[in-house]
Coordinates of all heavy atoms in Angstrom, one line a residue:
Chain A
G482 N 5.0 8.5 -7.1 CA 3.9 7.5 -6.9 C 4.5 6.1 -7.3 O 3.8 5.1 -7.0
A483 N 5.6 6.1 -7.7 CA 6.3 4.7 -8.0 C 7.1 4.3 -6.9 O 7.7 3.1 -6.9 CB 7.2 4.9 -9.3
S484 N 7.2 5.0 -5.7 CA 8.1 4.6 -4.7 C 7.3 4.8 -3.4 O 7.1 5.9 -2.9 CB 9.4 5.5 -4.6 OG 10.0 5.2 -3.5
V485 N 7.1 3.7 -2.7 CA 6.5 3.7 -1.4 C 7.3 4.6 -0.3 O 6.8 5.3 0.3 CB 6.2 2.2 -0.8 CG1 5.7 2.2 0.6 CG2 5.2 1.5 -1.7
V486 N 8.6 4.2 -0.3 CA 9.5 5.0 0.5 C 9.4 6.4 0.4 O 9.3 7.2 1.3 CB 10.9 4.4 0.5 CG1 11.9 5.2 1.3 CG2 11.1 3.1 0.9
L489 N 6.1 7.8 1.8 CA 5.9 7.7 3.2 C 7.0 8.8 3.9 O 6.7 9.3 4.9 CB 6.2 6.3 3.8 CG 5.1 5.3 3.2 CD1 5.4 4.0 3.9 CD2 3.7 5.8 3.5
D510 N 4.6 1.6 -17.4 CA 3.8 0.4 -17.0 C 3.5 0.4 -15.5 O 3.1 -0.6 -14.9 CB 4.7 -0.9 -17.3 CG 5.9 -0.9 -16.6 OD1 6.4 0.0 -15.9 OD2 6.7 -1.9 -16.8
G511 N 3.7 1.6 -14.8 CA 3.4 1.6 -13.5 C 2.4 2.8 -13.1 O 2.2 3.0 -11.9
K512 N 1.7 3.2 -14.1 CA 0.7 4.3 -13.9 C -0.4 3.8 -13.0 O -0.9 4.5 -12.1 CB 0.3 4.9 -15.2 CG 1.3 5.5 -16.0 CD 1.8 6.8 -15.5 CE 2.8 7.4 -16.5 NZ 3.5 8.5 -16.0
D513 N -0.8 2.6 -13.3 CA -2.0 2.0 -12.5 C -1.6 1.8 -11.1 O -2.4 2.2 -10.1 CB -2.4 0.7 -13.1 CG -1.3 -0.3 -13.2 OD1 -0.1 0.0 -13.2 OD2 -1.6 -1.6 -13.4
A514 N -0.4 1.2 -10.8 CA 0.1 1.1 -9.4 C 0.2 2.4 -8.7 O -0.2 2.5 -7.5 CB 1.4 0.3 -9.4
A515 N 0.7 3.4 -9.4 CA 0.9 4.7 -8.7 C -0.4 5.4 -8.3 O -0.6 5.9 -7.3 CB 1.7 5.6 -9.8
R516 N -1.4 5.2 -9.3 CA -2.8 5.8 -8.8 C -3.3 5.1 -7.7 O -3.8 5.7 -6.7 CB -3.7 5.5 -10.0 CG -3.6 6.4 -11.2 CD -4.7 6.2 -12.1 NE -4.2 6.6 -13.6 CZ -4.0 5.6 -14.5 NH1 -4.2 4.4 -14.4 NH2 -3.6 6.2 -15.7
F517 N -3.2 3.8 -7.5 CA -3.7 3.1 -6.4 C -2.9 3.5 -5.1 O -3.5 3.7 -4.0 CB -3.8 1.6 -6.5 CG -4.7 1.0 -7.5 CD1 -4.4 0.3 -8.6 CD2 -6.1 1.3 -7.2 CE1 -5.4 -0.2 -9.5 CE2 -7.1 0.8 -8.1 CZ -6.7 0.0 -9.2
L518 N -1.7 3.7 -5.2 CA -0.8 3.9 -4.1 C -1.1 5.3 -3.6 O -1.4 5.5 -2.4 CB 0.6 3.8 -4.6 CG 1.7 3.7 -3.4 CD1 1.5 2.7 -2.4 CD2 3.0 3.6 -4.0
I519 N -1.2 6.2 -4.5 CA -1.4 7.6 -4.0 C -2.8 7.7 -3.3 O -3.0 8.3 -2.3 CB -1.3 8.7 -5.2 CG1 0.2 8.8 -5.6 CG2 -1.8 10.1 -4.8 CD1 0.5 9.6 -6.8
S520 N -3.8 7.1 -4.1 CA -5.2 7.2 -3.5 C -5.2 6.5 -2.2 O -5.8 7.2 -1.2 CB -6.0 6.3 -4.6 OG -7.3 6.1 -4.0
N521 N -4.6 5.4 -2.0 CA -4.8 4.8 -0.6 C -4.0 5.5 0.5 O -4.5 5.7 1.6 CB -4.3 3.3 -0.7 CG -5.4 2.3 -1.2 OD1 -6.2 1.9 -0.6 ND2 -5.3 2.1 -2.5
V522 N -2.8 5.9 0.1 CA -1.9 6.6 1.1 C -2.6 7.9 1.5 O -2.7 8.3 2.7 CB -0.5 6.8 0.7 CG1 0.2 7.7 1.6 CG2 0.1 5.5 0.5
R524 N -5.8 8.9 1.3 CA -7.0 8.7 2.0 C -6.8 8.4 3.4 O -7.6 8.8 4.3 CB -7.9 7.7 1.3 CG -8.6 8.2 0.0 CD -9.4 7.1 -0.7 NE -10.1 7.7 -1.8 CZ -11.3 7.2 -2.2 NH1 -11.9 6.2 -1.5 NH2 -11.8 7.8 -3.2
R525 N -5.7 7.6 3.7 CA -5.6 7.1 5.2 C -4.5 7.8 5.9 O -4.6 7.8 7.1 CB -5.3 5.6 5.1 CG -6.4 4.8 4.5 CD -6.0 3.4 4.4 NE -6.8 2.6 3.4 CZ -6.8 1.4 3.4 NH1 -6.2 0.7 4.3 NH2 -7.4 0.7 2.4
H526 N -3.6 8.4 5.2 CA -2.5 9.0 5.9 C -2.2 10.5 5.4 O -1.1 10.8 5.0 CB -1.2 8.1 5.8 CG -1.5 6.8 6.3 ND1 -1.4 6.5 7.6 CD2 -1.7 5.6 5.6 CE1 -1.7 5.2 7.7 NE2 -1.9 4.6 6.6
E547 N -8.0 8.8 -16.5 CA -8.1 8.0 -15.3 C -7.3 8.7 -14.2 O -7.7 8.4 -13.0 CB -7.5 6.5 -15.6 CG -7.9 5.7 -14.4 CD -7.7 4.2 -14.7 OE1 -7.3 3.7 -15.8 OE2 -7.7 3.4 -13.7
E550 N -9.9 10.9 -12.5 CA -10.8 10.0 -11.8 C -10.1 9.6 -10.4 O -10.9 9.7 -9.4 CB -11.2 8.8 -12.5 CG -11.9 9.0 -13.9 CD -13.5 9.4 -13.6 OE1 -13.9 9.1 -12.5 OE2 -14.0 9.9 -14.5
A551 N -9.0 9.2 -10.4 CA -8.3 8.8 -9.1 C -7.9 10.0 -8.2 O -8.2 10.0 -7.1 CB -7.1 7.9 -9.5
R554 N -10.7 12.1 -6.5 CA -11.3 11.4 -5.4 C -10.4 11.3 -4.2 O -10.7 10.9 -3.1 CB -11.9 10.1 -5.8 CG -13.1 10.1 -6.8 CD -13.6 8.8 -7.2 NE -14.8 9.0 -7.9 CZ -14.9 9.2 -9.2 NH1 -13.9 9.4 -9.8 NH2 -16.2 9.4 -9.7
I581 N -16.4 15.2 -11.8 CA -16.0 14.2 -10.7 C -16.3 14.6 -9.3 O -16.8 13.9 -8.5 CB -14.5 13.8 -10.9 CG1 -14.2 13.4 -12.4 CG2 -14.1 12.8 -10.0 CD1 -12.7 13.2 -12.7
R583 N -18.7 16.5 -8.5 CA -20.3 16.3 -8.1 C -20.5 14.9 -7.9 O -21.3 14.6 -7.0 CB -21.0 16.8 -9.5 CG -21.2 18.4 -9.5 CD -22.3 18.8 -10.5 NE -21.9 18.4 -11.9 CZ -21.1 19.2 -12.7 NH1 -20.7 20.4 -12.3 NH2 -20.8 18.7 -14.0
K584 N -20.0 14.0 -8.7 CA -20.3 12.5 -8.5 C -19.8 12.1 -7.2 O -20.4 11.3 -6.5 CB -19.7 11.7 -9.7 CG -20.4 11.8 -10.9 CD -20.0 10.6 -11.8 CE -18.7 11.2 -12.7 NZ -18.2 10.2 -13.6
A585 N -18.7 12.6 -6.8 CA -17.9 12.0 -5.6 C -18.4 12.7 -4.3 O -17.9 12.5 -3.2 CB -16.4 12.1 -5.8
G586 N -19.2 13.7 -4.4 CA -19.8 14.5 -3.3 C -18.8 15.4 -2.7 O -18.7 15.6 -1.5
Chain B
A832 N 2.4 -7.2 -8.6 CA 2.4 -5.8 -8.2 C 3.3 -5.5 -7.1 O 3.5 -6.5 -6.2 CB 1.1 -5.3 -8.0
T834 N 7.0 -3.9 -5.2 CA 8.5 -4.2 -5.2 C 9.0 -4.8 -3.9 O 8.3 -5.0 -3.0 CB 9.3 -2.8 -5.4 OG1 9.1 -2.2 -4.2 CG2 8.6 -2.0 -6.5
E836 N 11.3 -3.5 -2.2 CA 11.9 -2.3 -1.4 C 11.3 -2.3 0.0 O 10.2 -2.7 0.2 CB 11.7 -1.0 -2.1 CG 12.6 -0.7 -3.4 CD 12.2 0.4 -4.0 OE1 11.5 1.2 -3.5 OE2 12.7 0.6 -5.2
S837 N 12.1 -1.7 0.9 CA 11.6 -1.5 2.2 C 10.2 -0.7 2.3 O 10.0 0.2 1.5 CB 12.7 -0.7 3.0 OG 12.2 -0.4 4.3
S838 N 9.3 -1.2 3.1 CA 8.0 -0.6 3.4 C 7.0 -0.9 2.2 O 5.9 -0.4 2.2 CB 8.1 1.0 3.4 OG 8.9 1.3 4.5
D839 N 7.5 -1.8 1.2 CA 6.6 -2.2 0.2 C 6.2 -3.7 0.3 O 6.7 -4.3 1.3 CB 7.3 -2.0 -1.2 CG 6.2 -1.8 -2.4 OD1 5.1 -2.1 -2.2 OD2 6.7 -1.4 -3.4
T871 N -6.1 -8.0 5.5 CA -6.3 -6.9 4.4 C -6.5 -7.6 3.1 O -7.2 -7.3 2.2 CB -5.1 -5.9 4.5 OG1 -5.0 -5.3 5.8 CG2 -5.2 -4.9 3.4
R874 N -9.8 -9.2 2.7 CA -10.8 -8.0 2.6 C -10.9 -7.6 1.1 O -11.9 -7.4 0.5 CB -10.5 -6.8 3.5 CG -11.5 -5.6 3.3 CD -11.2 -4.6 4.3 NE -9.8 -4.0 4.3 CZ -9.5 -3.0 3.4 NH1 -10.3 -2.7 2.5 NH2 -8.2 -2.5 3.5
L875 N -9.7 -7.4 0.5 CA -9.7 -6.9 -0.9 C -10.2 -8.1 -1.8 O -11.0 -7.8 -2.8 CB -8.2 -6.6 -1.4 CG -7.8 -5.0 -1.1 CD1 -8.6 -4.3 -2.2 CD2 -8.1 -4.6 0.3
F879 N -13.6 -7.6 -4.3 CA -13.5 -7.8 -5.9 C -14.2 -9.2 -6.1 O -14.2 -9.5 -7.4 CB -12.0 -7.9 -6.3 CG -11.5 -6.5 -6.5 CD1 -10.8 -5.8 -5.5 CD2 -11.4 -5.9 -7.8 CE1 -10.2 -4.6 -5.7 CE2 -10.9 -4.7 -8.0 CZ -10.2 -4.0 -6.9
I894 N 2.6 -0.8 5.2 CA 1.5 -0.5 5.9 C 0.2 -0.9 5.2 O 0.3 -1.2 4.1 CB 1.4 1.0 6.3 CG1 1.5 1.9 5.0 CG2 2.5 1.5 7.2 CD1 1.3 3.3 5.2
D895 N -1.0 -0.9 6.0 CA -2.2 -1.4 5.4 C -2.5 -0.7 4.1 O -3.0 -1.4 3.1 CB -3.3 -1.1 6.5 CG -4.5 -2.0 6.1 OD1 -4.3 -3.2 6.0 OD2 -5.6 -1.4 5.9
A896 N -2.3 0.7 4.0 CA -2.7 1.4 2.7 C -1.9 0.9 1.6 O -2.4 0.8 0.4 CB -2.5 2.9 3.0
V897 N -0.7 0.5 1.8 CA 0.2 0.0 0.7 C -0.2 -1.4 0.3 O -0.4 -1.7 -0.9 CB 1.6 0.1 1.1 CG1 2.6 -0.6 0.1 CG2 2.1 1.5 1.4
A899 N -3.3 -2.6 0.5 CA -4.5 -2.4 -0.2 C -4.3 -2.0 -1.7 O -4.8 -2.5 -2.6 CB -5.4 -1.6 0.5
A900 N -3.3 -1.0 -1.8 CA -3.0 -0.5 -3.2 C -2.4 -1.6 -4.0 O -2.8 -1.7 -5.2 CB -2.0 0.7 -3.0
R901 N -1.5 -2.4 -3.5 CA -0.8 -3.4 -4.2 C -1.9 -4.5 -4.6 O -1.9 -5.2 -5.7 CB 0.4 -4.0 -3.5 CG 1.5 -3.1 -3.1 CD 1.8 -2.2 -4.3 NE 3.2 -1.5 -4.2 CZ 3.5 -0.5 -5.0 NH1 2.7 0.0 -5.9 NH2 4.7 0.1 -4.8
Q903 N -5.1 -4.1 -5.1 CA -6.0 -3.5 -6.1 C -5.3 -3.6 -7.5 O -5.9 -4.0 -8.5 CB -6.3 -2.0 -5.9 CG -7.4 -1.9 -4.7 CD -7.5 -0.4 -4.2 OE1 -6.5 0.3 -4.2 NE2 -8.7 -0.1 -3.8
T904 N -3.9 -3.3 -7.5 CA -3.2 -3.3 -8.7 C -3.1 -4.6 -9.3 O -3.4 -4.9 -10.4 CB -1.7 -2.7 -8.4 OG1 -1.8 -1.6 -7.8 CG2 -1.0 -2.6 -9.7
C907 N -6.6 -6.1 -10.7 CA -6.9 -5.5 -11.9 C -6.0 -6.0 -13.1 O -6.5 -6.3 -14.2 CB -6.8 -3.9 -11.8 SG -8.0 -3.2 -10.9
R908 N -4.7 -6.2 -12.8 CA -3.8 -6.9 -13.8 C -4.1 -8.2 -14.0 O -4.2 -8.6 -15.3 CB -2.4 -6.6 -13.4 CG -1.8 -5.2 -13.4 CD -0.4 -5.1 -12.9 NE 0.1 -3.7 -12.9 CZ 1.2 -3.3 -12.5 NH1 2.0 -4.2 -11.8 NH2 1.6 -2.1 -12.5
G913 N -10.5 -2.7 -15.8 CA -10.2 -1.4 -15.3 C -10.8 -1.2 -14.0 O -11.7 -1.9 -13.6
Y914 N -10.3 -0.2 -13.2 CA -10.9 0.1 -11.9 C -12.0 1.0 -12.0 O -11.9 2.0 -12.7 CB -9.8 0.5 -11.0 CG -10.3 0.6 -9.5 CD1 -10.5 -0.5 -8.8 CD2 -10.4 1.8 -8.9 CE1 -10.9 -0.4 -7.6 CE2 -10.8 1.9 -7.6 CZ -11.0 0.8 -6.9 OH -11.5 0.9 -5.6
W916 N -13.4 3.8 -10.4 CA -13.0 4.8 -9.4 C -14.3 5.4 -8.7 O -14.2 6.0 -7.7 CB -12.2 5.9 -9.9 CG -10.8 5.4 -10.3 CD1 -10.4 5.1 -11.5 CD2 -9.7 5.2 -9.3 NE1 -9.0 4.6 -11.3 CE2 -8.6 4.7 -10.1 CE3 -9.5 5.4 -8.0 CZ2 -7.4 4.3 -9.5 CZ3 -8.3 5.0 -7.4 CH2 -7.3 4.5 -8.2
A917 N -15.4 5.4 -9.5 CA -16.6 6.0 -9.0 C -17.4 5.0 -8.0 O -18.5 5.4 -7.5 CB -17.5 6.4 -10.1
K918 N -16.8 3.8 -7.7 CA -17.7 2.9 -7.1 C -18.0 3.3 -5.6 O -19.0 2.8 -5.0 CB -17.1 1.4 -7.1 CG -15.9 1.2 -6.2 CD -15.5 -0.3 -6.4 CE -14.4 -0.6 -5.4 NZ -13.9 -2.0 -5.5
E919 N -17.2 4.1 -5.0 CA -17.5 4.6 -3.6 C -18.2 5.9 -3.6 O -18.4 6.5 -2.6 CB -16.2 4.7 -2.8 CG -15.7 3.2 -2.5 CD -14.4 3.4 -1.7 OE1 -14.1 4.4 -1.0 OE2 -13.5 2.5 -1.8
D920 N -18.6 6.5 -4.7 CA -19.2 7.7 -4.8 C -20.6 7.6 -4.1 O -21.2 6.5 -4.1 CB -19.4 8.3 -6.1 CG -18.2 8.6 -6.9 OD1 -17.1 8.7 -6.2 OD2 -18.1 8.9 -8.0
P921 N -21.1 8.7 -3.5 CA -22.4 8.7 -2.8 C -23.5 8.1 -3.6 O -24.4 7.4 -3.2 CB -22.6 10.1 -2.4 CG -21.3 10.8 -2.5 CD -20.5 10.1 -3.5
H922 N -23.5 8.4 -5.0 CA -24.6 7.9 -5.7 C -24.3 6.8 -6.6 O -24.9 6.4 -7.6 CB -25.2 9.1 -6.6 CG -25.6 10.3 -5.7 ND1 -26.6 10.2 -4.8 CD2 -25.1 11.5 -5.5 CE1 -26.7 11.3 -4.2 NE2 -25.7 12.1 -4.6
A923 N -23.1 6.1 -6.4 CA -22.7 5.0 -7.1 C -23.6 3.8 -6.9 O -24.2 3.7 -5.9 CB -21.3 4.6 -6.8

Side-chain angles (χ1 to χ4, degrees):
Chain A
S484 166
V485 172
V486 170
L489 299 182
D510 63 358
K512 301 289 186 188
D513 56 344
R516 286 187 202 109
F517 284 125
L518 193 57
I519 291 173
S520 169
N521 279 279
V522 169
R524 282 178 177 213
R525 299 179 202 195
H526 304 280
E547 193 170 353
E550 294 285 338
R554 288 182 172 86
I581 300 169
R583 281 195 294 274
K584 280 193 281 181
Chain B
T834 70
E836 287 174 13
S837 173
S838 304
D839 204 347
T871 302
R874 176 171 62 79
L875 267 295
F879 280 85
I894 57 173
D895 196 57
V897 174
R901 295 317 190 196
Q903 288 169 325
T904 307
C907 288
R908 287 177 179 176
Y914 186 71
W916 291 98
K918 75 177 186 183
E919 287 177 29
D920 288 353
H922 305 296

